């Protein structure tokens, strides 16, 4: 991917995430503390960065290192969508341990009761739908091909 | 494909993800709801670590326990689980809670705060449903969890501190380093809160949230569960 394309895509993706309710992707750009003890050693110095700020900072960095900034964005977005898509199976797996003693059996599908107290939405289906899989695939190709020197990766996106 | 075609493709995908006809909420809100379900199941597993394997489980009769609109506790939207050591609890989501004053007055009074997941000992059921009209008060709670899959902002610390103030008073000020306590929920014992209600912030992975002394003083714990 050329630096010009990386710069262009970075600006576009950040703006689209921010303007369409996906600023949560920015959370996965924030420092992560892998263990509880590491986290507990962090002092609160009020240098908070929220999800949106973390995304906006990427645009600020696009001038000098656009490919590195795009790689960080794509990695964060992959984490967000991969984890979201994995929720239904993780829930079904966690609840399965209780099923042998359950009467009636536990429904492994996640459902959400609407504000009207009648509409029930299949959350599992929303998180596993084809658009999520397409997004994962698109981000996967971008992530793999950022390091290339040209824009030939665009040819591999034709069938998406 | 050109860069512009890729942008159009991405734009269409983002709009389709948000275009759930049955929900007046975006994709990210659906993700947060799904994550609540997963955390509730993980909390039940943590209770079985402490109280032994589940011996009897009654799933929600309505086949769902997640609520787009938080409100009253209802048994048909909760898991009832009995554990081997003899304790039984209800596990419910999106419940509004009465505050500390109710522990003094013994009647429903004052404002309500929402909690993502609450755990209620079965022996408190009748009082919650009758005197308190389905809105549990601190004396009815065994544990409270806030779930954040993706959202992260400074206000979340204030949100959690507000929930702590709403539910408990503080006794003393022990900010000493906590050593893992296997008998406590997620190995983090409540030392200062009265009543002694654990309040946990749960995320898929830990993020810088509050300093150790603040967490210890207010008996707050951030957990990574997935």
């Amino acid at each position: 991917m050329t630096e010009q394309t990386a710069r262009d895509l970075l600006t576009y993706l950040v703006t689209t995430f921010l303007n369409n309710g996906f600023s949560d992707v920015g959370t996965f750009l924030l420092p992560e503390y892998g263990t509880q003890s590491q986290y507990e050693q962090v002092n609160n110095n009020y240098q908070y960065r929220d999800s949106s700020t973390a995304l906006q900072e990427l645009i600020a960095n696009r001038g000098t290192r656009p490919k590195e900034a795009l790689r960080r964005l794509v990695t964060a977005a992959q984490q967000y969508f991969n984890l979201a898509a994995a929720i239904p199976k993780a829930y079904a797996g966690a609840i399965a341990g209780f099923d042998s003693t359950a009467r009636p059996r536990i429904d492994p599908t996640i459902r959400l009761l609407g504000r009207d107290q009648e509409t029930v939405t299949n959350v599992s289906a929303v998180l596993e739908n084809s658009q999520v899989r397409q997004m994962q695939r698109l981000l996967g190709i971008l992530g793999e091909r950022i390091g290339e020197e040209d824009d030939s990766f665009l040819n591999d996106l034709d069938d998406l | 494909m050109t860069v512009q075609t890729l942008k159009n493709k991405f734009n269409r995908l983002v709009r389709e993800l948000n275009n759930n006809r049955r929900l007046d909420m975006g994709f990210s809100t659906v993700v947060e709801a799904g994550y609540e379900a997963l955390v509730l199941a993980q909390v039940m597993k943590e209770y079985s670590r402490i109280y032994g394997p589940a011996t009897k489980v009654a799933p929600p009769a309505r086949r769902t326990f997640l609520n787009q609109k938080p409100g009253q506790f209802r048994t048909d939207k909760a898991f009832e689980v009995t554990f081997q050591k003899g304790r039984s609890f209800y596990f419910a989501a999106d419940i509004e809670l009465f505050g500390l004053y109710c522990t003094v007055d013994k009647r429903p009074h004052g404002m309500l705060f929402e909690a993502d997941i609450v755990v209620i000992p079965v022996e408190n059921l009748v009082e919650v449903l009758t005197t308190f009209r389905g809105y549990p008060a601190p004396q009815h709670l065994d544990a409270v969890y806030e779930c954040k899959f993706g959202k992260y902002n400074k206000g979340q610390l204030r949100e959690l501190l507000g929930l702590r103030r709403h539910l408990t008073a503080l006794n003393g000020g022990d900010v000493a380093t906590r050593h893992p306590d296997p008998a406590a929920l997620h190995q983090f014992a409540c030392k200062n809160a009265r009543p002694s209600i654990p309040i946990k912030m749960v995320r898929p992975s830990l993020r810088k949230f509050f300093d150790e002394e603040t967490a210890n003083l207010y008996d707050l714990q951030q957990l990574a569960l997935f």
Side-chain angles (χ1 to χ4, degrees):
Chain A
M1 186 182 301
T2 62
E3 294 222 327
Q4 177 56 41
T5 299
R7 193 174 291 114
D8 190 10
L9 280 180
L10 176 70
T11 308
Y12 182 80
L13 295 182
V14 167
T15 309
T16 306
F17 280 141
L18 286 172
N19 292 342
N20 289 278
F22 286 90
S23 57
D24 288 0
V25 166
T27 300
F28 295 88
L29 291 163
L30 295 166
E32 183 174 334
Y33 297 95
T35 67
Q36 186 68 15
S37 61
Q38 281 174 305
Y39 146 70
E40 286 173 351
Q41 287 160 13
V42 174
N43 288 317
N44 181 356
N45 58 10
Y46 286 92
Q47 291 178 338
Y48 277 92
R49 289 193 301 152
D50 67 14
S51 311
S52 299
T53 311
L55 282 172
Q56 288 159 355
E57 282 176 357
L58 282 180
I59 296 187
N61 293 335
R62 72 187 186 279
T64 51
R65 304 179 69 183
K67 291 173 88 164
E68 178 55 29
L70 181 62
R71 188 189 304 282
R72 289 188 60 217
L73 175 65
V74 168
T75 302
Q78 281 181 301
Q79 274 188 282
Y80 176 84
F81 284 103
N82 290 349
L83 278 171
I87 286 174
K89 279 194 174 61
Y91 171 75
I95 219 78
F98 293 90
D99 207 29
S100 62
T101 50
R103 297 289 179 277
R105 297 200 65 180
I106 302 172
D107 183 352
T109 305
I110 304 172
R111 299 174 201 278
L112 174 64
L113 193 63
R115 292 184 186 280
D116 60 4
Q117 297 292 299
E118 289 184 7
T119 310
V120 177
T121 299
N122 187 330
V123 171
S124 297
V126 173
L127 299 181
E128 291 179 322
N129 71 18
S130 60
Q131 283 83 24
V132 177
R133 288 197 299 275
Q134 279 190 57
M135 180 64 84
Q136 289 175 291
R137 191 159 164 239
L138 194 155
L139 292 168
I141 292 172
L142 284 181
E144 286 170 11
R145 309 287 290 273
I146 288 173
E148 296 177 359
E149 297 299 317
D150 60 25
D151 286 340
S152 60
F153 75 98
L154 290 167
N155 301 327
D156 292 344
L157 296 171
D158 284 339
D159 61 338
L160 270 177
Chain B
M1 185 182 279
T2 63
V3 172
Q4 186 56 48
T5 317
L6 173 58
K7 288 180 183 176
N8 294 343
K9 174 79 184 169
F10 186 79
N11 192 44
R12 187 172 60 79
L13 262 181
V14 163
R15 288 180 191 280
E16 284 175 353
L17 283 169
N18 277 327
N19 185 25
N20 190 307
R21 279 171 294 174
R22 300 190 67 185
L23 291 170
D24 56 348
M25 59 170 71
F27 180 81
S28 64
T29 311
V30 180
V31 175
E32 295 288 339
Y35 186 60
E36 266 185 44
L38 173 57
V39 172
L40 186 139
Q42 298 283 11
V43 170
M44 286 166 52
K45 284 176 74 174
E46 173 66 6
Y47 269 74
S48 66
R49 182 185 69 80
I50 294 174
Y51 295 104
T55 55
K56 186 180 167 192
V57 178
R62 291 202 66 170
R63 296 177 71 206
T64 180
F65 53 87
L66 296 175
N67 304 283
Q68 197 171 352
K69 180 185 173 188
Q72 293 160 297
F73 170 81
R74 290 171 45 155
T75 55
D76 63 353
K77 292 196 291 182
F79 283 91
E80 181 185 351
V81 185
T82 302
F83 297 95
Q84 198 173 54
K85 292 183 180 174
R87 294 293 308 273
S88 300
F89 299 92
Y90 286 103
F91 297 84
D94 309 310
I95 304 294
E96 288 182 303
L97 309 171
F98 277 118
L100 192 56
Y101 185 74
C102 299
T103 62
V104 178
D105 203 32
K106 311 294 184 195
R107 66 182 176 88
H109 183 84
M111 64 197 296
L112 294 160
F113 270 41
E114 185 210 349
D116 289 336
I117 291 169
V118 301
V119 185
I120 302 171
V122 165
E123 56 267 28
N124 296 335
L125 176 68
V126 173
E127 186 168 282
V128 169
L129 293 184
T130 56
T131 311
F132 285 81
R133 308 190 308 271
Y135 298 105
Q139 63 266 40
H140 306 128
L141 300 169
D142 198 70
V144 174
Y145 293 77
E146 285 295 304
C147 308
K148 304 288 179 198
F149 178 85
K151 297 190 187 311
Y152 180 91
N153 58 58
K154 191 173 181 175
Q156 288 174 1
L157 173 57
R158 294 168 184 165
E159 183 185 331
L160 214 62
L161 288 170
L163 186 60
R164 172 56 81 201
R165 175 199 62 79
H166 185 65
L167 294 178
T168 68
L170 291 180
N171 178 24
D174 183 356
V175 297
T177 300
R178 301 290 168 93
H179 300 291
D181 177 357
L185 272 180
H186 309 280
Q187 312 210 24
F188 186 91
C190 261
K191 289 187 175 178
N192 298 325
R194 299 290 181 273
S196 183
I197 304 168
I199 296 180
K200 316 287 187 187
M201 168 67 81
V202 190
R203 303 177 188 281
S205 54
L206 300 177
R207 304 286 159 187
K208 185 162 89 171
F209 187 54
F210 36 42
D211 63 290
E212 184 181 355
E213 287 76 19
T214 302
N216 290 341
L217 178 61
Y218 291 94
D219 286 336
L220 301 173
Q221 182 186 22
Q222 184 181 216
L223 292 169
L225 294 179
F226 197 85

